[in-house]
Structure formats: structure tokens, C-alpha cells
Amino acid sequence: MFMVYGIALLLAGLLTINSIFSYQSKHIDPSLWQTLWFQCKMIPLVFAANVMIGYGVKFCYKTTGNLTLSLGISKGIEIFICVLMGYIFLKEIPNWKTWVGLGIVVGGFVITKLK
């Protein structure tokens, strides 16, 4: 059950963080003061997302007993969310090379965990 909690917290936290930065890159002028003002307004969300990610990794580690695997799960989720944010905010449609790259990354994690 801790793994379900961990993955749910990782999804929520990473989705929040990546949504903030994707929104900023698309809709906020890159001048210093507008970016600084936007980031100041986002402090509560970034804090909540950071706590969710921290507990997500902690719960995954509690289940697996392996920090490398827990962080690997986190990175896999983050890569998927990055592709999703590219589609939502920038209308970038992933092509076959994107899926091959994701497959290589996931395959690499599986190979490193084989005993």
C-alpha cells in the first residue's frame, strides 16, 4: 500500500512542479521582475510539491528497500510528465523517437536491477 501512496504522491508533486515551469515558459515574460513575481506567488505550491515528492520517494523506499530504484521510479514518472507537459503547453506531439528513447531509459533501469 505504501507503494501506491508513494507513486500517487510522486505523480502529484512532479505534475505540480512541471506544470508551474511549463506555464512559466509559455505564458510569463522572461524578464527578471515578472519571473521573480511569478515564482514568489508559486512558493506555496512549490513547497507542497516538494513535500509530496519527498514523501513519495520515502514511501517507495520503504516498500522497495532500495533508494536507487525509488529514485529511478521517480525519474521515470518525471520523464513521462515532461512529455505530457510538452503536449499540453506546447502542442509537441511525441514521435517514434521519443517512445524509443523512453523505452531505452526504462530498459536501462530494468537491466541495472537484474540480478
Side-chain angles (χ1 to χ4, degrees), residues 22 25-27 82-95:
S22 297
S25 68
K26 178 76 174 178
H27 298 290
C82 287
V83 171
L84 181 67
M85 290 298 115
Y87 177 74
I88 291 172
F89 283 97
L90 301 174
K91 304 299 181 229
E92 295 174 352
I93 298 174
N95 58 18

Short mmCIF file of all heavy atoms in Angstrom, two decimals, residues 22 25-27 82-95:
data_model
loop_
_atom_site.label_atom_id
_atom_site.label_comp_id
_atom_site.label_asym_id
_atom_site.label_seq_id
_atom_site.Cartn_x
_atom_site.Cartn_y
_atom_site.Cartn_z
N SER A 22 6.29 24.75 -16.87
CA SER A 22 5.77 24.78 -18.24
C SER A 22 4.92 26.02 -18.46
O SER A 22 5.03 26.68 -19.50
CB SER A 22 4.94 23.53 -18.52
OG SER A 22 5.73 22.38 -18.45
N SER A 25 7.25 29.03 -18.76
CA SER A 25 7.96 29.14 -20.03
C SER A 25 7.03 29.57 -21.16
O SER A 25 7.47 30.21 -22.11
CB SER A 25 8.65 27.83 -20.38
OG SER A 25 7.70 26.83 -20.66
N LYS A 26 5.76 29.24 -21.07
CA LYS A 26 4.82 29.57 -22.14
C LYS A 26 4.18 30.95 -21.96
O LYS A 26 4.02 31.69 -22.92
CB LYS A 26 3.73 28.49 -22.19
CG LYS A 26 2.67 28.71 -23.21
CD LYS A 26 3.13 28.40 -24.59
CE LYS A 26 1.94 28.52 -25.54
NZ LYS A 26 2.31 28.29 -26.88
N HIS A 27 3.83 31.32 -20.72
CA HIS A 27 2.98 32.49 -20.51
C HIS A 27 3.61 33.65 -19.74
O HIS A 27 3.01 34.72 -19.68
CB HIS A 27 1.70 32.07 -19.78
CG HIS A 27 0.87 31.10 -20.56
ND1 HIS A 27 0.19 31.44 -21.69
CD2 HIS A 27 0.64 29.78 -20.35
CE1 HIS A 27 -0.44 30.38 -22.17
NE2 HIS A 27 -0.18 29.36 -21.37
N CYS A 82 7.10 15.11 -18.33
CA CYS A 82 7.70 16.11 -19.23
C CYS A 82 7.15 15.98 -20.65
O CYS A 82 6.86 16.98 -21.31
CB CYS A 82 9.22 15.96 -19.25
SG CYS A 82 10.01 16.52 -17.74
N VAL A 83 6.98 14.75 -21.11
CA VAL A 83 6.38 14.54 -22.43
C VAL A 83 4.93 15.05 -22.43
O VAL A 83 4.49 15.72 -23.37
CB VAL A 83 6.45 13.05 -22.82
CG1 VAL A 83 5.65 12.78 -24.09
CG2 VAL A 83 7.90 12.62 -23.02
N LEU A 84 4.21 14.77 -21.35
CA LEU A 84 2.82 15.22 -21.23
C LEU A 84 2.74 16.75 -21.22
O LEU A 84 1.89 17.34 -21.90
CB LEU A 84 2.20 14.64 -19.96
CG LEU A 84 0.75 15.01 -19.68
CD1 LEU A 84 -0.16 14.38 -20.73
CD2 LEU A 84 0.36 14.54 -18.28
N MET A 85 3.62 17.42 -20.48
CA MET A 85 3.60 18.88 -20.42
C MET A 85 3.96 19.50 -21.77
O MET A 85 3.41 20.53 -22.16
CB MET A 85 4.58 19.40 -19.35
CG MET A 85 4.17 19.13 -17.93
SD MET A 85 2.64 19.94 -17.49
CE MET A 85 1.60 18.54 -17.19
N GLY A 86 4.89 18.87 -22.48
CA GLY A 86 5.21 19.34 -23.82
C GLY A 86 4.01 19.29 -24.74
O GLY A 86 3.78 20.19 -25.55
N TYR A 87 3.21 18.25 -24.58
CA TYR A 87 2.00 18.13 -25.40
C TYR A 87 0.94 19.15 -24.97
O TYR A 87 0.34 19.81 -25.80
CB TYR A 87 1.42 16.71 -25.30
CG TYR A 87 0.15 16.55 -26.08
CD1 TYR A 87 0.16 16.49 -27.47
CD2 TYR A 87 -1.08 16.49 -25.43
CE1 TYR A 87 -1.01 16.37 -28.19
CE2 TYR A 87 -2.25 16.36 -26.13
CZ TYR A 87 -2.22 16.31 -27.51
OH TYR A 87 -3.38 16.20 -28.22
N ILE A 88 0.73 19.29 -23.67
CA ILE A 88 -0.34 20.18 -23.18
C ILE A 88 -0.02 21.65 -23.45
O ILE A 88 -0.85 22.39 -23.96
CB ILE A 88 -0.58 19.95 -21.67
CG1 ILE A 88 -1.21 18.57 -21.45
CG2 ILE A 88 -1.47 21.04 -21.08
CD1 ILE A 88 -1.32 18.17 -20.00
N PHE A 89 1.20 22.09 -23.11
CA PHE A 89 1.51 23.51 -23.19
C PHE A 89 2.07 23.93 -24.54
O PHE A 89 1.83 25.05 -24.98
CB PHE A 89 2.50 23.90 -22.08
CG PHE A 89 1.86 24.03 -20.74
CD1 PHE A 89 1.89 22.97 -19.84
CD2 PHE A 89 1.21 25.18 -20.36
CE1 PHE A 89 1.30 23.08 -18.59
CE2 PHE A 89 0.61 25.30 -19.13
CZ PHE A 89 0.65 24.24 -18.25
N LEU A 90 2.84 23.09 -25.18
CA LEU A 90 3.50 23.50 -26.43
C LEU A 90 2.99 22.76 -27.65
O LEU A 90 3.51 22.94 -28.75
CB LEU A 90 5.02 23.31 -26.28
CG LEU A 90 5.66 24.09 -25.14
CD1 LEU A 90 7.13 23.72 -25.00
CD2 LEU A 90 5.50 25.58 -25.34
N LYS A 91 2.02 21.89 -27.46
CA LYS A 91 1.42 21.10 -28.54
C LYS A 91 2.48 20.28 -29.30
O LYS A 91 2.38 20.09 -30.50
CB LYS A 91 0.66 22.00 -29.52
CG LYS A 91 -0.42 22.85 -28.88
CD LYS A 91 -1.47 22.00 -28.23
CE LYS A 91 -2.56 22.87 -27.63
NZ LYS A 91 -2.88 22.54 -26.29
N GLU A 92 3.50 19.81 -28.56
CA GLU A 92 4.51 18.95 -29.14
C GLU A 92 4.00 17.52 -29.11
O GLU A 92 3.73 16.97 -28.05
CB GLU A 92 5.82 19.04 -28.36
CG GLU A 92 6.47 20.39 -28.41
CD GLU A 92 7.69 20.48 -27.51
OE1 GLU A 92 7.95 19.54 -26.73
OE2 GLU A 92 8.38 21.50 -27.59
N ILE A 93 3.87 16.92 -30.28
CA ILE A 93 3.39 15.55 -30.36
C ILE A 93 4.59 14.61 -30.37
O ILE A 93 5.46 14.73 -31.23
CB ILE A 93 2.53 15.35 -31.62
CG1 ILE A 93 1.31 16.27 -31.54
CG2 ILE A 93 2.11 13.88 -31.76
CD1 ILE A 93 0.46 16.28 -32.78
N PRO A 94 4.67 13.68 -29.41
CA PRO A 94 5.80 12.76 -29.38
C PRO A 94 5.80 11.86 -30.61
O PRO A 94 4.75 11.34 -30.99
CB PRO A 94 5.60 11.95 -28.10
CG PRO A 94 4.42 12.50 -27.41
CD PRO A 94 3.75 13.48 -28.31
N ASN A 95 6.97 11.69 -31.20
CA ASN A 95 7.06 10.79 -32.35
C ASN A 95 7.69 9.47 -31.90
O ASN A 95 7.94 9.24 -30.72
CB ASN A 95 7.84 11.44 -33.49
CG ASN A 95 9.23 11.86 -33.07
OD1 ASN A 95 9.77 11.40 -32.07
ND2 ASN A 95 9.83 12.74 -33.85
#
